Amino acid sequence: MTQNPLIASVFRQEVLAMSAYQVAHAEGFIKLDAMENPYGWPEELKTRWLAALRDCPLNRYPDPQAQRLVQTIRAHDQIPDQHAILLGNGSDEIIQLLLMALPPRAHVLAPAPGFVMYKQLSDCLGIKYQGIPLLADNFGLDLSAMLAAIEQHHPAVIFIAYPNNPTGNLFDPVAIESIIKAASGLVIIDEAYAPFANASFMTRLTQHDNLLVMRTVSKLGLAGLRLGYIAGNPEIIGQLDKIRLPYNINSLTQLSADFALTHKALFDQQTQQICIERTRVFNQLNNITGITAYPSSANFILFRTPDTLADGLYAAIKQQGILIKNLNPQGGLLKDCLRVTIGTPDENNAFLASLKNALRIPDSIHTETH
Ligand SMILES: *Cc1c(COP(=O)(O)O)cnc(C)c1O
């Protein structure tokens, strides 16, 4: 908090009580902390992309509806015409839009641990946020606790990340269905990791008026563009569209995302490679004494380290030039847990070697790969 009376009198309590979202300084590191796709584009594709950008009219405001991009997304994700689509400056902005539209005493519900922005943005808007703990053994949904919280608080919005971040698992779709049916408000299925998951609620949109499916191009390989989208009931999307800033998707993003998504084959290939590596890293991690890796349907793996070692291991891995995510400070179910994003085979090998080194286990990994 602040001692400065000017600051204290100007800003809302909620804002004063918050701390800024921290992003680790990553320059010079092998970056395996933020679920980015490690691969770039072939030169030939870059040349064609730059040619497409050449004539982008930067003197003009962008298309406020981004109509062409919306059509491309509709085709890319096979979203039927009866569902509306709203674009955001990252899906983070869509979460913010949803929460901004809620009445002052609204409740928001999500499983915990979950994606940090649900809570961060609720806190900043003064909305009551409730995290319902996942089951300790497998990070599954505690369905009866979720249903009890729905009955008690009637949350206006329930966020369910599918697969979940930071645990990486897909919740039981039957349990999610019960939650959608029990909810008196909206249920947002956040499919940020859809490219790696082989599971989706998109086809169930038609069955539920209160269901919305949110996605992003960030984890697919376009994190720098800042583009997310949400699909569902046109009446709900219409309300959100009223509070969306008119030009929230800039011209360069509209053009670049449209170009990229029409070259689906490249991302399919990269995604496949990442999934192959995910299996390999998962097996390698579980072969290390003292390490438990959790099954993942995303492009990262959560793993548990021996009691009290997480902070030290994280620091020792960082010391070796590899940045991952330390979740131990969040405590609860994440005590002793670290999270690594799947990188290129070489990056993954460097990470595995650094972890073994930090645990003082001789590294023999280079004899097992390629
Ligand atoms: C990364 C992530 C997002 C945010 O995506 P952006 O489009 O980059 O803002 C949303 N939800 C989950 C679960 C995520 O992991």
Side-chain angles (χ1 to χ4, degrees):
M1 294 291 255
T2 179
Q3 303 295 328
N4 183 333
L6 169 66
I7 303 295
S9 68
V10 168
F11 295 106
R12 278 185 284 119
Q13 266 317 305
E14 293 90 355
V15 177
L16 296 173
M18 284 175 68
S19 25
Y21 185 79
Q22 295 292 335
V23 177
H25 178 74
E27 208 177 290
F29 285 93
I30 293 180
K31 201 168 176 313
L32 301 177
D33 66 326
M35 284 75 107
E36 292 147 327
N37 174 337
Y39 299 106
W41 294 3
E43 283 305 318
E44 172 270 332
L45 200 64
K46 282 190 202 166
T47 304
R48 282 198 283 140
W49 166 58
L50 289 172
L53 285 184
R54 247 193 97 89
D55 296 322
C56 183
L58 293 180
N59 55 320
R60 303 291 178 197
Y61 281 104
D63 173 0
Q65 312 297 342
Q67 290 176 61
R68 188 179 163 147
L69 176 57
V70 166
Q71 272 187 16
T72 300
I73 289 171
R74 198 179 276 290
H76 182 267
D77 284 25
Q78 297 169 329
I79 304 170
D81 281 336
Q82 78 251 39
H83 308 309
I85 298 172
L86 177 129
L87 306 187
N89 189 330
S91 37
D92 287 349
E93 191 193 32
I94 298 174
I95 299 166
Q96 186 183 45
L97 277 177
L98 269 160
L99 297 174
M100 276 167 48
L102 303 184
R105 265 175 289 279
H107 279 251
V108 168
L109 200 77
F115 183 48
V116 290
M117 293 311 283
Y118 308 147
K119 181 175 189 306
Q120 174 89 0
L121 290 167
S122 297
D123 286 352
C124 116
L125 291 162
I127 289 167
K128 287 190 191 59
Y129 176 89
Q130 212 181 358
I132 306 295
L134 294 171
L135 301 173
D137 51 343
N138 62 356
F139 299 123
L141 278 178
D142 186 341
L143 181 58
S144 54
M146 291 290 288
L147 293 177
I150 290 170
E151 176 140 344
Q152 193 186 349
H153 299 295
H154 300 283
V157 172
I158 301 172
F159 289 106
I160 298 179
Y162 183 78
N164 190 40
N165 173 12
T167 56
N169 56 315
L170 285 164
F171 299 130
D172 175 8
V174 179
I176 297 179
E177 277 279 342
S178 329
I179 289 168
I180 298 168
K181 287 192 183 123
S184 53
L186 306 180
V187 178
I188 316 302
I189 304 296
D190 180 350
E191 298 188 348
Y193 300 95
F196 314 97
N198 223 342
S200 172
F201 271 70
M202 198 66 92
T203 57
R204 303 187 202 220
L205 280 178
T206 7
Q207 293 154 39
H208 307 283
D209 277 346
N210 63 336
L211 171 64
L212 297 165
V213 174
M214 185 167 70
R215 289 188 178 173
T216 173
V217 299
S218 296
K219 313 301 159 54
L220 178 68
L222 300 166
L225 291 183
R226 306 308 297 129
L227 178 71
Y229 46 100
I230 190 162
N233 186 337
E235 280 192 89
I236 299 171
I237 298 288
Q239 297 302 318
L240 298 176
D241 201 36
K242 292 191 220 167
I243 54 170
R244 178 180 65 84
L245 294 174
Y247 306 111
N248 65 330
I249 313 298
N250 73 71
S251 304
L252 295 174
T253 292
Q254 289 191 28
L255 223 151
S256 302
D258 185 64
F259 177 87
L261 293 179
T262 47
H263 294 83
K264 190 173 178 304
L266 174 69
F267 292 105
D268 285 349
Q269 189 205 330
Q270 294 180 345
T271 301
Q272 217 174 10
Q273 180 65 40
I274 291 166
C275 289
I276 291 168
E277 277 295 289
R278 176 179 69 197
T279 305
R280 187 177 72 88
V281 174
F282 174 77
N283 291 332
Q284 297 270 358
L285 279 172
N286 276 328
N287 280 341
I288 300 174
T289 310
I291 300 292
T292 305
Y294 295 98
S296 169
S297 297
N299 63 341
F300 60 85
I301 293 175
L302 182 79
F303 60 99
R304 194 174 294 280
T305 63
D307 192 22
T308 72
L309 296 190
D311 293 347
L313 288 173
Y314 169 78
I317 290 165
K318 190 169 174 184
Q319 187 73 38
Q320 295 170 78
I322 296 149
L323 191 62
I324 62 170
K325 178 80 177 175
N326 183 8
L327 294 163
N328 181 53
Q330 290 188 30
L333 294 183
L334 296 175
K335 185 180 162 311
D336 304 322
C337 285
L338 303 175
R339 184 190 69 197
V340 63
T341 301
I342 303 300
T344 65
D346 284 348
E347 289 174 336
N348 300 333
N349 287 342
F351 156 70
L352 288 162
S354 75
L355 173 60
K356 289 183 186 178
N357 194 22
L359 286 161
R360 299 183 198 291
I361 297 170
D363 175 40
S364 58
I365 186 159
H366 50 271
T367 59
E368 296 165 31
T369 57
H370 301 298

